[in-house]
Amino acid sequence: MGFILKDLVGVVVLFVVSLVARLLSVVRLIFPAGKKSVSGEIVLITGAGSGLGRGMALSFARLGATIVAWDINKEANEATVQMIRQEGGKAFGFVCDCSKREDIYRAAQEVKDSVGHVTILVNNAGIVSGRKFLDCPDDLIQKTMDINTNAHFWTTKAFLPHMLKKKHGHLVSIASAAGLAGMSGLADYCTSKFGAVGFADSIRVRLHEVKQHGVHVTCVCPTYINTGMFTGAELREVAILETDQVVQQIVDAVLRNQFWLVLPRTVAILSGIQGMVPTFLADLAQKAINMHGSMDNFVGRQGNKKNSGRQGNKNSGRQGNKKKN
Ligand SMILES: NC(=O)c1ccc[n+]([C@@H]2O[C@H](COP(=O)([O-])OP(=O)(O)OC[C@H]3O[C@@H](n4cnc5c(N)ncnc54)[C@H](O)[C@@H]3O)[C@@H](O)[C@H]2O)c1
């Protein structure tokens, strides 16, 4: 009986807290925080050769930031750098395999020596195997964790100390809505994105605790975007997000020092109620938007004729493998 009462109190408290949070976010919508300037900042973006990474690189450059573009794909990365330079912006490209800690530390040192200290770090590089857990080779699971999660540790270790010293900086984690709720057929990817979310939130809390109020964190959790990475995946009632719009919202969140950016907002509500309602109810809500069948027709970048080969993404796990199991 005591347990039931405690549970009930817990549910009521969570309900009130989430209601207040919702109200505050509505107030924020009406009266958004002011935007900071990123002119003169050094913005490092991993995975800058494609999709969100390229979009963010171009956007931050247009705002006067110096861009440090990292990617494993030399040509695609260089193309981003050239696009920025053609617009009159400042950009430097470095080939870096973010699945390898030593390569991250090597490239980080090169950046410090030749460009300067990074003030905004965007951990964006990511891969998806798109395979069912038991069918996914061990090394691909390991690689997914290395790029989508562990790389965030090493890049942060490389660049956060100087931000702390200067009491000025920003860490941006491009996670995913898959980092807020488990999804069928995406066990490795979800785990890696939960890791990215957990790391970003832990760092945010720590920075607050040690009163580093000049160093900010932004955690980005979108559903599917039309970059090509998730070609074929689809949700019901939730449209595939447009790359340009997501880029614009990420940049806006950074300029406003906003921590959470969950897109679309309905997903934020769904993930918020997860822990407050019985599991079967949360499952029902997720089924209503086909969350657990959303990967059934996934082909990924290699299955997308328009994009295939364009990025030459050596790490893209799935090669149009449509095997069902
Ligand atoms: N596309 C989506 O639907 C979606 C949804 C939510 C979150 N995300 C996340 O957004 C981020 C960007 O995704 P995107 O859609 O722009 O993907 P993308 O495939 O267009 O771009 C990813 C980039 O990362 C690079 N990359 C891959 N492995 C690398 C490595 N080992 N080292 C360095 N660079 C590497 C690729 O070459 C590519 O340029 C990823 O972290 C992804 O998980 C994407």
Side-chain angles (χ1 to χ4, degrees):
M1 190 65 190
F3 279 120
I4 294 175
L5 203 68
K6 266 191 185 167
D7 272 1
L8 265 178
V9 172
V11 168
V12 172
V13 169
L14 273 174
F15 185 73
V16 173
V17 168
S18 83
L19 203 68
V20 172
R22 287 284 133 228
L23 282 174
L24 284 176
S25 69
V26 171
V27 173
R28 266 272 174 258
L29 264 184
I30 303 168
F31 305 106
K35 292 186 188 179
K36 68 182 176 190
S37 164
V38 290
S39 180
E41 303 285 342
I42 299 183
V43 182
L44 187 150
I45 301 169
T46 67
S50 169
L52 294 184
R54 174 173 289 170
M56 289 186 285
L58 282 157
S59 295
F60 280 120
R62 286 172 193 147
L63 293 170
T66 296
I67 304 303
V68 176
W70 277 14
D71 207 292
I72 193 170
N73 184 327
K74 189 175 186 223
E75 283 155 43
N77 200 38
E78 203 43 47
T80 301
V81 169
Q82 289 312 324
M83 281 177 192
I84 293 170
R85 288 183 182 166
Q86 271 159 22
E87 290 187 4
K90 235 173 143 186
F92 303 91
F94 295 81
V95 174
C96 177
D97 180 352
C98 290
S99 71
K100 296 195 167 69
R101 189 184 54 198
E102 306 75 33
D103 210 37
I104 289 174
Y105 286 151
R106 174 204 51 81
Q109 194 55 52
E110 272 185 38
V111 170
K112 287 177 199 172
D113 293 343
S114 60
V115 185
H117 287 287
V118 168
T119 51
I120 300 179
L121 167 65
V122 187
N123 272 302
N124 165 76
I127 59 164
V128 58
S129 73
R131 308 213 190 162
K132 302 283 187 296
F133 177 66
L134 292 178
D135 293 335
C136 191
D138 293 357
D139 58 352
L140 193 46
I141 293 174
Q142 184 72 60
K143 192 159 237 173
T144 301
M145 293 304 294
D146 283 338
I147 299 170
N148 297 6
T149 317
N150 298 342
H152 298 207
F153 297 154
W154 320 133
T155 53
T156 304
K157 273 203 164 187
F159 298 112
L160 181 60
H162 193 263
M163 296 183 196
L164 296 177
K165 199 168 144 198
K166 294 285 170 194
K167 298 191 183 308
H168 174 84
H170 205 129
L171 304 171
V172 184
S173 176
I174 307 300
S176 167
L180 302 172
M183 290 174 75
S184 170
L186 273 173
D188 53 352
Y189 186 76
C190 283
T191 307
S192 70
K193 293 299 185 180
F194 267 73
V197 170
F199 180 58
D201 202 25
S202 305
I203 293 285
R204 176 192 65 80
V205 171
R206 180 66 188 159
L207 290 171
H208 190 75
E209 284 298 298
V210 297
K211 302 196 178 1
Q212 277 281 356
H213 302 305
V215 183
H216 302 276
V217 186
T218 294
C219 184
V220 183
C221 299
T223 53
Y224 299 126
I225 312 161
N226 67 355
T227 61
M229 182 184 194
F230 274 96
T231 299
E234 55 196 341
L235 291 163
R236 199 180 300 127
E237 309 297 341
V238 180
I240 304 289
L241 301 168
E242 292 290 326
T243 308
D244 289 349
Q245 284 171 15
V246 175
V247 165
Q248 199 188 323
Q249 291 183 79
I250 296 171
V251 172
D252 203 65
V254 171
L255 298 185
R256 296 182 194 284
N257 291 329
Q258 177 184 328
F259 178 66
W260 285 116
L261 178 64
V262 183
L263 299 170
R265 277 171 196 277
T266 39
V267 171
I269 297 168
L270 265 187
S271 71
I273 60 166
Q274 260 197 137
M276 296 164 60
V277 299
T279 309
F280 79 93
L281 273 184
D283 284 352
L284 272 181
Q286 291 171 354
K287 271 191 184 148
I289 61 165
N290 189 36
M291 245 173 85
H292 303 305
S294 69
M295 287 292 284
D296 287 354
N297 296 315
F298 169 84
V299 286
R301 191 171 287 291
Q302 303 306 320
N304 181 349
K305 292 271 182 308
K306 212 171 89 196
N307 289 312
S308 103
R310 181 170 62 94
Q311 312 306 338
N313 180 354
K314 295 174 198 158
N315 287 299
S316 186
R318 180 127 158 183
Q319 314 280 317
N321 172 5
K322 293 186 85 172
K323 190 173 137 203
K324 299 246 170 76
N325 36 66

